[in-house]
Amino acid sequence: MKLVKKILAAVLALGMSSVLLAGCSDGAGNQSVAKIKESGEIVMYTNAAFAPFEYVDGQDVKGVDVEIALEIAKELGVELKVKDVKFDSIVPGIESGKAAFGAAGITITEDRKKSVDFSIEYYTSVQYIICKEDADFAKTEDLAGKAIGVQLGTTGDFLISDAIDGTEDEETKEHVKGVLEGSGASCKQYANAIEASQDLMNGRIDAVVIDKLPAESIVNNNSGLKCVKLEDAEPEAYGICVSKGNEELLKVIDEVLNRLISEGKIDSFVLAHSNA
Ligand code: ARG
């Protein structure tokens, strides 16, 4: 009898530890769908200086990403909490489980994919140059010798920093000269593109590089500025990020995005917030 009990205890312990292990290895951590439902709320990280995707309106954060997030919260039957944080702390914050997902017009990149998992693409964009109305820029090359403002940690920042500093060839490890290298151009990193554009209007910098729709929004809200497509920039796809391995939450997000895309809702959200 004693032996039977011992075996039983051992089997039970084994079973329990595998349950514990499974709980850890799903990658969802404290942001699993079960935990979110239990807490009754889902936390989103964003950076609300990027209209029409997210912007501050009085006490609220509004925009396309908030509309999408509300649909995600509704699907889960929980309340949405939006946290306005620095853009470059969104991916690390999601990675460490401080929030369930990041929605901030975030471009899906290979580098970011090392830290977080991305949803399906929900919008395509491209980098734009904001400048004074009388300036004449079209390509990165045209910014030679200029002071260029970017939002810290964005793809616009990477593009300009790489053009000024050059890059390293992944295979040969050799230095690849950037198109602005040695031209005297400088990259000034700001908390957001709105602050960068303020410096542009004050004459402290010559151009701001940021995504298309936020560039258009800034130009619409300020006189004396215009914006043009950065001719040599590649298209970028936006995705929502979750912590690595949080497949269950990602599935819900993808389902919501697929539905919104097929109903043409993303475009109507963009239109609805385009005066911001
Ligand atoms: N798409 C660019 C990137 O992923 C800029 C995003 C900035 N978003 C924001 N909410 N400020 O790097």
Side-chain angles (χ1 to χ4, degrees):
M1 198 56 186
K2 247 189 178 169
L3 188 71
V4 174
K5 259 193 189 162
K6 262 190 193 160
I7 293 172
L8 219 85
V11 168
L12 238 135
L14 211 92
M16 259 165 67
S17 64
S18 65
V19 165
L20 279 174
L21 274 175
C24 291
S25 62
D26 70 356
N30 55 344
Q31 300 294 351
S32 68
V33 167
K35 290 250 171 72
I36 290 165
K37 285 188 173 166
E38 199 184 293
S39 73
E41 64 172 46
I42 189 162
V43 183
M44 154 181 167
Y45 262 17
T46 196
N47 174 259
F50 198 72
F53 292 94
E54 40 269 331
Y55 55 96
V56 177
D57 183 17
Q59 302 276 74
D60 302 319
V61 175
K62 291 187 180 159
V64 177
D65 287 323
V66 180
E67 303 274 11
I68 297 171
L70 283 168
E71 295 285 334
I72 296 167
K74 197 164 111 196
E75 184 68 35
L76 292 164
V78 297
E79 204 188 307
L80 175 69
K81 276 246 164 84
V82 180
K83 290 226 169 110
D84 187 11
V85 300
K86 285 187 190 140
F87 182 73
D88 68 331
S89 63
I90 298 177
V91 168
I94 300 310
E95 193 181 6
S96 63
K98 288 202 186 102
F101 65 92
I106 306 172
T107 302
I108 304 170
T109 68
E110 287 310 313
D111 209 43
R112 288 173 179 160
K113 275 200 224 163
K114 290 177 194 154
S115 319
V116 289
D117 285 344
F118 278 99
S119 69
I120 58 160
E121 311 175 5
Y122 66 92
Y123 201 79
T124 315
S125 189
V126 69
Q127 295 299 312
Y128 261 51
I129 305 175
I130 310 175
C131 56
K132 290 265 179 72
E133 257 163 3
D134 57 0
D136 190 21
F137 302 126
K139 311 185 277 310
T140 309
E141 250 175 61
D142 302 337
L143 297 169
K146 302 294 178 194
I148 310 155
V150 295
Q151 179 177 25
L152 177 68
T154 58
T155 42
D157 180 5
F158 306 147
L159 195 148
I160 296 303
S161 299
D162 285 353
I164 292 174
D165 302 334
T167 50
E168 188 183 75
D169 186 284
E170 266 176 43
E171 272 166 38
T172 63
K173 302 281 169 216
E174 261 170 60
H175 181 84
V176 183
K177 199 167 182 251
V179 290
L180 295 177
E181 203 174 329
S183 74
S186 61
C187 179
K188 224 177 150 201
Q189 296 161 318
Y190 293 85
N192 58 59
I194 299 172
E195 284 181 20
S197 301
Q198 233 103 53
D199 260 10
L200 171 63
M201 288 185 284
N202 293 336
R204 286 196 196 98
I205 55 174
D206 305 293
V208 175
V209 171
I210 192 75
D211 305 42
K212 178 180 192 227
L213 297 187
E216 288 174 345
S217 159
I218 288 171
V219 169
N220 286 337
N221 286 306
N222 296 284
S223 52
L225 299 180
K226 68 172 181 184
C227 64
V228 293
K229 181 179 179 286
L230 188 56
E231 256 174 36
D232 47 325
E234 297 286 330
E236 300 180 20
Y238 292 170
I240 292 175
C241 64
V242 301
S243 73
K244 271 211 158 295
N246 196 349
E247 281 167 31
E248 212 188 339
L249 178 60
L250 201 57
K251 195 166 158 255
V252 174
I253 294 176
D254 279 346
E255 275 166 11
V256 168
L257 284 175
N258 269 317
R259 176 172 58 79
L260 294 175
I261 292 166
S262 70
E263 290 171 354
K265 285 273 177 63
I266 307 279
D267 292 327
S268 23
F269 292 155
V270 169
L271 210 66
H273 293 278
S274 64
N275 281 327

